[in-house]
Amino acid sequence: MGARHTCSRRVLLAALAIPVTAAAVGGGSRRRPAREEHYFPRHGSYGHHTLAYHLELDYDPRGHRLDGRARIEATANGAIDSVELDLAKLTVDEVLLDDRPVPFRHRDGKLRITADRTLEPGRPFTLDVRYGGRPRPVHSPYGPIGWDRTGDEHDGTLVASQPVGAPSWFPCNDRPDDKAAYTFEVTVPAGYDALANGSLVDHREADGSARWTYHHPGPMACYLAALYTGRFHRETWTEEDISGAPVPVHVACPAGAVDRVRHDLARQGRILRLYTDLFGPYPFESYGVTVVDAELSAPVENQTLSVFGRNHMDGRRGWETLVAHETAHQWFGNSVSLADWQHIWLNEGFATYAEWLWSEHLGEDDADTLARRSRTDLTARRQNLRIADPGRRHLFDDRVYVRGACALHALRLAVGDEPFFRVLRTWHETRRGGSADTPGFLTHARRVVARDVEGVLAPWLYEKRVPEFRR
Ligand SMILES: [Zn+2]
């Protein structure tokens, strides 16, 4: 997400409202955490891997009621007798395992399903979860996240789940590294639109209802799954419409915002083209921006379909930095995603550096100017962060964003432009569709440039003191 701007509720929470604890910022002189701790230990299961989610969702915007059927294809990681999913406050009516009803218990956000046999490792199985209720955002250290309502009449919906909001609307294995294919069959009243990740493969209206079917081969982490319903003006921009976009760009917004959105996104194609040139081929079948009829604290980079608030489209490109930021996440954050949340700088530092590259491309402040200015700002802060493990409370702290981008700039200064961009391109190329961690990036960079870069990167990532830029 583009949460480093001061209007972000997440930033305010992280920077002001929550006391900085010794545990969060670490202590002593150790450079690396002794062991990895999950920031959200109650979320996700390591017992199985999800192959595909097929979500049939029937949403009534008048009663705010969602009736769902989630068909989940998965394999066991080892021999298991039960399967654990994450699902927040919705009610589960029935669970089938390979089409046979099985017992389950749904409590405190966990859906525990008892298998009628031992599930063998590597053997696919299918779960059918029938559920429903009135979806609501879930509480998180960063405020309410997940499913929410939009529009003055509250008849629209959005999803902004990062990091653990996906269980607000469907049963899932809520880990950033459990990536799957998705199909969404969404039924809403006729006249309402539904938008989801990937491509629209079917749309039909009958008996006062509209069914919208989308498919995204992914693979995609569940926190990046998105659904927007309501009344939208929709456009698809092709390469001819917007200079050089490598894929179709689907734009949806409230009817009253069309002119502002067209103006503010007019350079979206150039942004996609620049990042394709710098980072390698765009990783998915399409890109999209949905502007919802609500004010959002920050946009979110849902896979193939970023979401912005109406407040982010001011008709003056006042938020174009974030348009660039969310676009870059399609490579870094979505296509290459996180092995676990502590490595968040691999998302946010990269996307922030991509903002600086866009500025440089426009002939405005170049990345060196922006990095040195950011370093000065960081130095003035009383507290600094070890961003390779910032602590759950600081996950979306602006220091993770800026210091992460500075780390990349330090690498660029140390190795030169050509090797630096080769590191970024091959990082995406070799991890596309997978997930990654900080030690993996250090190893990768060292291999690509054939020299030790730990001395350049480690002080930015593992220490609190703000390093100097070396040239
Ligand atoms: Zn971001």
Side-chain angles (χ1 to χ4, degrees):
M1 72 181 75
R4 71 186 185 78
H5 290 261
T6 49
C7 66
S8 162
R9 180 170 50 199
R10 296 181 178 91
V11 170
L12 290 174
L13 276 168
L16 302 175
I18 298 171
V20 176
T21 65
V25 298
S29 61
R30 69 188 165 91
R31 282 158 61 111
R32 295 188 181 209
R35 68 185 169 87
E36 291 192 1
E37 286 181 18
H38 299 300
Y39 287 180
F40 305 98
R42 286 188 43 76
H43 284 258
S45 162
Y46 287 82
H48 70 279
H49 165 60
T50 313
L51 302 170
Y53 292 92
H54 188 124
L55 303 178
E56 287 178 34
L57 305 171
D58 196 332
Y59 184 65
D60 168 19
R62 289 172 290 262
H64 312 300
R65 174 155 184 106
L66 179 72
D67 284 296
R69 175 187 171 199
R71 195 168 169 87
I72 300 171
E73 295 170 34
T75 56
N77 292 333
I80 54 174
D81 299 317
S82 64
V83 182
E84 204 174 83
L85 298 173
D86 299 280
L87 181 66
K89 293 163 184 157
L90 299 163
T91 302
V92 178
D93 300 315
E94 184 180 36
V95 179
L96 310 179
L97 170 61
D98 289 336
D99 298 321
R100 290 189 299 276
V102 286
F104 63 89
R105 194 181 69 182
H106 186 207
R107 189 181 296 168
D108 298 332
K110 299 301 277 192
L111 175 62
R112 290 189 175 81
I113 299 156
T114 304
D116 52 4
R117 64 187 191 279
T118 298
L119 300 170
E120 301 295 339
R123 289 275 295 275
F125 61 89
T126 302
L127 293 169
D128 244 304
V129 182
R130 292 168 200 249
Y131 66 103
R134 291 179 154 205
R136 286 169 287 176
V138 293
H139 297 293
S140 83
Y142 325 102
I145 54 172
W147 179 286
D148 211 342
R149 279 149 55 176
T150 62
D152 293 336
E153 296 172 18
H154 296 291
D155 64 342
T157 63
L158 70 87
V159 170
S161 294
Q162 191 183 31
V164 286
S168 65
W169 64 292
F170 69 101
C172 56
N173 187 3
D174 194 16
R175 284 165 41 193
D177 61 338
D178 192 60
K179 300 170 75 168
Y182 282 74
T183 303
F184 306 85
E185 272 184 60
V186 184
T187 302
V188 287
Y192 283 78
D193 299 281
L195 302 101
N197 315 80
S199 302
L200 178 65
V201 293
D202 192 40
H203 171 232
R204 55 187 70 192
E205 296 201 6
D207 303 327
S209 294
R211 191 176 72 191
W212 302 77
T213 304
Y214 292 83
H215 179 70
H216 179 46
M220 176 166 76
C222 57
Y223 82 89
L224 295 167
L227 174 64
Y228 316 107
T229 70
R231 301 172 197 272
F232 290 95
H233 171 87
R234 302 159 62 106
E235 296 181 358
T236 295
W237 298 346
T238 59
E239 186 169 351
E240 299 82 58
D241 299 324
I242 50 170
S243 54
V247 288
V249 177
H250 303 297
V251 176
C253 65
V258 172
D259 290 344
R260 291 196 309 277
V261 168
R262 281 182 182 153
H263 176 268
D264 286 8
L265 296 181
R267 299 197 286 203
Q268 178 68 74
R270 284 179 63 191
I271 294 169
L272 280 159
R273 172 52 57 197
L274 173 69
Y275 293 163
T276 298
D277 292 344
L278 295 176
F279 307 147
Y282 179 77
F284 306 117
E285 63 272 34
S286 62
Y287 184 57
V289 172
T290 300
V291 179
V292 293
D293 191 9
E295 303 217 336
L296 299 187
S297 58
V300 181
E301 67 272 21
N302 292 326
Q303 193 155 310
T304 72
L305 199 54
S306 295
V307 58
F308 288 73
R310 63 187 175 214
N311 50 308
H312 297 122
M313 297 290 147
D314 58 9
R316 300 188 300 276
R317 293 194 189 121
W319 301 89
E320 192 183 63
T321 304
L322 296 186
V323 174
H325 179 108
E326 310 310 331
T327 306
H329 272 313
Q330 303 303 318
W331 282 263
F332 305 116
N334 298 1
S335 178
V336 182
S337 57
L338 301 177
D340 210 344
W341 287 109
Q342 73 178 91
H343 309 292
I344 186 73
W345 84 275
L346 291 171
N347 290 11
E348 302 305 350
F350 279 56
T352 302
Y353 199 68
E355 294 174 21
W356 298 354
L357 294 170
W358 172 241
S359 172
E360 187 169 294
H361 177 77
L362 289 175
E364 298 174 359
D365 285 337
D366 63 13
D368 192 63
T369 302
L370 293 165
R372 290 177 193 279
R373 191 181 298 155
S374 297
R375 187 197 167 275
T376 302
D377 292 346
L378 280 171
T379 310
R381 304 283 285 264
R382 275 196 8 216
Q383 296 278 353
N384 273 292
L385 278 183
R386 291 187 176 89
I387 61 167
D389 188 8
R392 187 175 75 166
R393 288 176 174 178
H394 297 289
L395 198 58
F396 301 113
D397 189 306
D398 65 335
R399 289 167 290 183
V400 172
Y401 290 60
V402 170
R403 191 167 173 141
C406 284
L408 291 177
H409 191 64
L411 179 65
R412 183 180 177 185
L413 290 177
V415 303
D417 276 12
E418 194 283 325
F420 171 72
F421 286 106
R422 190 149 36 89
V423 168
L424 297 191
R425 273 197 308 278
T426 52
W427 177 244
H428 178 256
E429 189 180 297
T430 57
R431 271 126 181 116
R432 183 175 176 164
S435 41
D437 60 18
T438 303
F441 180 71
L442 291 178
T443 304
H444 171 81
R446 186 177 66 234
R447 281 193 188 135
V448 171
V449 303
R451 56 173 275 200
D452 181 14
V453 293
E454 176 124 358
V456 175
L457 288 171
W460 287 98
L461 303 176
Y462 293 111
E463 295 175 12
K464 284 169 68 174
R465 190 183 59 80
V466 183
E468 300 279 352
F469 283 120
R470 287 182 261 159
R471 185 134 225 162

